[in-house]
């Protein structure tokens, strides 16, 4: 054996060893998806092809060479259909791969292996196999037979079809998956080119270059597995679905690293980019409010099998948006969990609609302050707290003096403006935690927690003076308004404890006395008249 042959044998043995290691890696993969099963077949047949070819070149007799050619063909013949199945599964073009069709793909390879092993009986594959006289070491020469042509056409057709399927996916695939497509494309095309050169007779001593080329393709597979998680969690077969979805999708592995995302997610999350692939998902939330980012990272890292749903918000394209996030386990066919998928559903409009409904249900449509129902709810809560703490609480009921005449003289639109004007004055006078509500028509109500009767009277007098001293611009000149007020403190004899209804009744009686005394006045529930 000369040094050139020894180097070549060493290289293809190395190629066989690499494929054997990939075979073990694929076999040990717990996900065992259909794509990974096909990859097992590709690596197993490639390893067998390389080792068989190496032993053929190392043989010194024609009988041994024929034996190892038969072994090499066990890998060579079955590798193309396995590769076609792999690409079909990977690209999603596998609807035609029924069990029957899959079985038929291996019919010609099986016939090939049988004819190679029994070639001396019929010479259908090789018309003859002989030792070359021009080679520096024992090496076989062949004269091809009719089945050799059939086998070659089938091999080239299978691999070329696989290459076409990969090319068809290039335009619609995301950047992250284009690396994988390119890797598989080279793994398909390089053996085709090497085999073509072999058939053209331009290879020294007519040695098969394909096993040597498999070193390159295997190295590419190793690189793709290490850098892009080839075949893990989400195959390219499903990428076109992600591309067209309006909802954002993030796919994570079990270690919480980002495996994939779709364009919708990129629009939602400014920090997303191809460089984030393979990084911890925590980096995706960079720049978001600390509380939101911490919640997202915590929930995204929870790898339980239960579905989780929560809401969050962050600033993306178009300002602040609200999202409902659903965390779903990603499982393979044996129900093993291999990661999680985060679906980001933009619920901004829904949230805004809910806020509008809440506002309609809670706030007066004209003045923007609490309506009667919401005021009663909030004031009831404050009254309960005051009773529990035995602290002071006062209610103030008031309305606009002679409001009907404003509507009659100046019109209802001016009357509406007058109510808004009065509500604005009152809100400026309120302290934090105090409530203002529209009780009905031109009647308003205040709740002053922590305020006793004397302080409530003083504060109410300030509000009365502010209203009287703040005329509203109107078409006929400044409109001066006054209001009458009734004040009651929770717990006094007239208010009957902390119940709102008796307290409001006491304030209403005081308001009646304010009107009876000439209006533009403040009266309290303790006054007798």
């Amino acid at each position: 054996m000369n040094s050139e042959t020894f180097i070549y044998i060493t290289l293809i043995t190395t190629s066989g060893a690499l494929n054997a290691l990939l075979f073990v890696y694929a076999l040990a993969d717990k996900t065992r998806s259909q794509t990974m099963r096909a990859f097992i077949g590709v690596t197993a047949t490639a390893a067998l092809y390389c080792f068989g070819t190496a032993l053929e070149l190392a043989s010194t007799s024609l009988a041994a060479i024929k034996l190892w050619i038969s072994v090499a063909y066990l890998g060579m013949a079955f590798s193309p259909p396995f590769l076609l199945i792999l690409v079909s599964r990977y690209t999603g073009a596998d609807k035609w791969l029924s069990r029957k069709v899959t079985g038929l793909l291996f019919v010609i390879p099986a016939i090939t292996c049988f004819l190679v092993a029994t070639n001396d009986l019929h010479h259908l594959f090789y018309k003859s196999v002989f030792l070359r006289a021009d080679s520096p070491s024992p090496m076989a020469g062949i004269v091809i037979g009719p089945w050799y042509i059939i086998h070659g056409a089938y091999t080239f057709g299978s691999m070329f079809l696989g290459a076409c399927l990969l090319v068809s996916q290039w335009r619609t695939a995301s950047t992250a998956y284009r690396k994988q497509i390119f890797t598989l494309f080279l793994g398909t095309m390089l053996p085709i080119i090497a085999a073509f050169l072999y058939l053209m007779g331009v290879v020294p001593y007519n040695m098969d270059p394909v096993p040597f080329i498999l070193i390159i393709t295997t190295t590419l597979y190793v690189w793709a597995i290490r850098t892009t998680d080839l075949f893990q969690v989400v195959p390219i077969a499903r990428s076109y679905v992600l591309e067209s979805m309006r909802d954002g999708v993030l796919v994570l592995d079990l270690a919480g690293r980002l495996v994939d995302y779709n364009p919708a997610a990129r629009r939602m999350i400014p920090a997303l980019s191809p460089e984030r692939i393979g990084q911890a998902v925590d980096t995706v939330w960079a720049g978001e409010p600390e509380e939101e980012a911490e919640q997202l990272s915590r929930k995204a890292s929870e790898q339980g099998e239960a579905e989780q749903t929560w809401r969050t918000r962050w600033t993306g394209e178009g300002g602040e948006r609200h999202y409902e996030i659903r965390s779903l386990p990603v499982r393979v066919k044996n129900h093993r969990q291999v990661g999680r998928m985060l679906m980001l559903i933009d619920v901004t409009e829904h949230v805004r609609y809910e806020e509008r409904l809440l506002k309609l249900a809670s706030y007066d449509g004209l003045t923007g302050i609490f309506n009667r129902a919401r005021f009663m709810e909030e004031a009831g809560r404050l009254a309960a707290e005051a009773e529990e703490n035995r602290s002071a609480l006062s209610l103030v009921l008031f309305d606009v003096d002679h409001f009907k005449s404003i509507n009659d003289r100046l019109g209802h639109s001016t009357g509406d403006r007058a109510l808004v004007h009065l509500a604005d004055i009152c809100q400026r006078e309120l302290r934090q935690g105090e409530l203002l509500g529209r009780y009905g028509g031109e009647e308003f109500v205040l709740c002053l927690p922590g305020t006793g009767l004397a302080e409530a009277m003083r504060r109410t007098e300030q509000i009365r003076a502010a209203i009287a001293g703040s005329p509203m611009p109107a078409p006929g000149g400044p409109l001066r308004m006054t209001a009458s007020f009734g004040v009651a403190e929770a717990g006094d004899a007239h208010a009957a404890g902390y119940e709102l209804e008796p307290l409001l009744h006491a304030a209403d009686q005081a308001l009646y006395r304010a009107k009876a005394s000439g209006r533009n006045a403040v009266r309290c529930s303790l006054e007798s008249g």
Side-chain angles (χ1 to χ4, degrees), residues 28-48:
D29 183 81
K30 295 180 180 179
T31 63
R32 199 64 59 80
S33 64
Q34 289 183 320
T35 308
M36 188 59 83
R37 288 197 205 104
F39 189 62
I40 290 173
V42 169
T43 53
T45 54
L48 191 59

Side-chain angles (χ1 to χ4, degrees), residues 202-282:
V202 298
V203 181
Y205 306 113
N206 205 34
M207 289 191 295
D208 187 357
V210 175
F212 171 73
I213 291 298
L214 291 179
I215 296 178
I216 301 174
T217 60
T218 306
T219 303
L220 289 171
Y221 290 150
V222 172
W223 170 80
I225 288 171
R226 292 290 298 172
T227 60
T228 65
D229 283 335
L230 185 66
F231 310 138
Q232 293 297 314
V233 185
V234 181
I236 190 65
R238 311 298 179 248
S239 67
Y240 71 93
V241 177
L242 298 181
E243 297 289 318
S244 60
M245 289 179 65
R246 295 179 60 186
D247 297 330
V249 175
L250 303 178
V251 183
L252 314 178
D253 63 15
L254 287 174
R257 294 171 301 190
L258 183 65
V259 175
D260 192 24
Y261 63 87
N262 67 348
R266 173 66 184 88
R267 290 190 295 271
M268 294 175 178
I269 307 175
L272 269 182
S273 66
E275 290 73 23
R276 300 290 185 188
I277 299 293
Q279 296 184 12
V281 72
D282 296 14

Side-chain angles (χ1 to χ4, degrees), residues 362-371 423-424 427 436-438 444:
S362 302
Y363 295 88
D364 176 56
L366 176 64
T367 61
I369 60 177
F370 282 153
N371 59 22
D424 289 342
Q427 284 182 305
L436 170 65
R438 187 176 178 187
F444 295 83

Side-chain angles (χ1 to χ4, degrees), residues 17 33 52 71 94 130 147 245 252-253 274 305 357 391 400 402 428 434 484 501:
S33 64
V71 173
D94 56 354
F130 53 90
W147 191 262
M245 289 179 65
L252 314 178
D253 63 15
E305 296 190 356
L357 287 179
S391 60
V400 184
H402 306 295
R428 289 198 295 268
E434 297 177 338
S484 300
E501 289 298 337

